[in-house]
């Protein structure tokens, strides 16, 4: 089993190290990850500057390849150039912080998995809630490993993507697994306006209190309730309901 | 009618200027756009540094507000902070280059419209093909204006997003409008490997020849055939078919 492992927190982040350590027994793991943190980059790709792949070491030990690009760049470059054997599964994470609701759209972690899915590989994005309650990434990685193993057993189809979010509570207190859908509403994230010493305004984006969102069967609700959420994601954004509706609109006379 | 106009090519790009000029008669246009080009940033948001809004001028004339962030940042900041009246419609473009197929996922132009849709506004993303055949942005802007006017007439529902792509041919040769779906396959974009003067490898991402993709009813096919494509897009990425499937998988025994 060939496993490509990436993330958006960068190759030296604790989440990817913990996950790598825990999935060694599942197959041959190749790490190709951004050289620096890429959180919030969304599904960006790099065509304005050339990409480089470098061997990365930690404590004199080879840990994988770093790329001066986005998580999606890493997946593309890993599969086209860095890996001798094509991956059987692509895993992205563990991200520090959930990727639920519309944050899925901003997430480099999910974007890496989407890129893999587009390229036809089964992929899994894994994120771990940061809540201040419990932050042991090593026990989260053990849970992640068991989920990955189960997914592999069930043979995730090519081009499928599962977005996994683990709540920040001790594993023995996690209530179970819920297959969920994306919470698809605005988080109403606002800005904090501040004035700099020169008298000019600047704005910090403020996070949302995710515990406020209580819509049943959604990813965010499952995690809030102490469950692991697993949401399958698509990269076809077409709104088929709306498509049928606007087909009936009068489009005549705009051009010839 | 309050119109928020943004883009990802930056506030000084010719596409946004041409569109602004052509939609003045449709309502009051407020421009809030990135201070520099943001192509390929996808749906990125900025929380690692503070954002600033500055008045932008061209030839001593006020043209709008520039933001040191992504297109999605511009929409958020415009609506929360910069605009006195909330927009009735948010328009992103005109982008130089189509945003079709999986390129929709990488597109800052589309991301701005998605952000607006999430916030509950009707939104329109507009892109103009670059093919070398025909590049008159002013006539494309006239066509875009007519499409926008028609969409406004039909009252695009709140939170809906239409992704419009205009082929690079003279308006009188455009064959018409097609309501399409996203071409949801890999473009198989590869890398060109080069060696720097120091003997080290670097990689340039290569574009795809979009004319090769011939799947009927898709955005890319419509534009290739000389039609304007209009694809409604969703920001709920849940794969509901797959969701039903994995509900039957055995998830027992992973955690308590």
């Amino acid at each position: 089993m060939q496993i490509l492992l990436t993330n958006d927190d960068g190759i030296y982040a604790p989440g990817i190290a913990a996950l790598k350590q825990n999935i060694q027994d599942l197959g041959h793991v190749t790490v190709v990850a951004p050289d620096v943190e890429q959180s919030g980059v969304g599904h960006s790709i790099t065509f304005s500057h050339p990409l480089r792949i470098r061997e990365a070491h930690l404590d004199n030990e080879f840990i994988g390849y770093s790329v001066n690009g986005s998580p999606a760049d890493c997946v593309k470059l890993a599969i086209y150039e860095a890996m001798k054997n094509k991956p059987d599964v692509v895993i992205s994470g563990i991200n520090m912080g959930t990727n639920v609701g519309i944050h899925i759209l901003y997430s480099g972690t999910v974007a890496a998995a989407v890129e893999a899915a587009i390229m036809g590989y089964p992929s899994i994005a894994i994120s771990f809630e940061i809540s201040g309650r419990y932050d042991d990434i090593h026990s989260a990685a053990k849970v992640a490993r068991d989920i990955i193993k189960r997914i592999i057993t069930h043979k995730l189809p090519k081009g499928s993507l599962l977005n996994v979010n683990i709540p920040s509570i001790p594993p023995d207190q996690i209530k179970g697994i819920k297959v969920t859908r994306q919470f698809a509403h605005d988080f109403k994230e606002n800005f904090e306006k501040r004035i700099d010493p020169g008298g000019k305004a600047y704005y910090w984006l403020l996070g949302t209190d995710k515990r406020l969102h209580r819509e049943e069967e959604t990813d965010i609700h499952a995690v809030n309730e102490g469950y692991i959420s697993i949401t399958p994601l698509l990269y076809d954004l077409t709104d088929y309901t709306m498509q049928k509706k606007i087909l009936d609109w009068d489009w005549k006379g705009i051009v010839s």
Side-chain angles (χ1 to χ4, degrees), chain A residues 83-204:
Chain A
M83 292 182 83
K84 275 175 213 134
N85 301 300
K86 298 299 173 214
D88 296 298
V89 63
V90 178
I91 300 169
S92 180
I94 300 173
N95 187 66
M96 296 306 282
T98 54
N99 281 304
V100 292
I102 51 136
H103 281 186
I104 286 171
L105 296 157
Y106 308 143
S107 162
T109 306
V110 174
V114 170
E115 189 66 40
I118 290 170
M119 292 176 77
Y121 299 93
S123 66
I124 307 167
I126 300 184
S127 306
F128 180 42
E129 188 189 18
I130 297 175
S131 69
R133 288 177 292 172
Y134 180 79
D135 63 1
D136 182 359
I137 188 67
H138 294 284
S139 68
K142 283 195 184 78
V143 172
R145 180 225 175 253
D146 291 347
I147 296 168
I148 292 165
K149 197 181 171 196
R150 194 64 61 95
I151 292 170
I152 289 170
T153 306
H154 279 286
K155 293 196 174 60
L156 186 63
K158 288 180 180 184
S160 297
L161 190 180
L162 299 185
N163 184 41
V164 177
N165 283 278
I166 302 171
S168 64
I169 45 181
D172 60 356
Q173 291 174 31
I174 295 176
K175 291 184 188 160
I177 287 173
K178 282 207 168 169
V179 175
T180 48
R181 59 182 161 80
Q182 179 193 336
F183 176 78
H185 306 287
D186 193 5
F187 281 145
K188 304 215 181 293
E189 285 165 318
N190 215 320
F191 294 91
E192 183 176 313
K193 183 179 180 175
R194 295 186 180 184
I195 304 297
D196 71 18
K200 288 179 178 157
Y202 62 99
Y203 300 86
W204 285 105

Side-chain angles (χ1 to χ4, degrees), chain A residues 75-86:
Chain A
V75 169
K76 255 186 166 18
L77 205 51
I79 293 174
Y80 277 125
E81 299 290 335
M83 292 182 83
K84 275 175 213 134
N85 301 300
K86 298 299 173 214

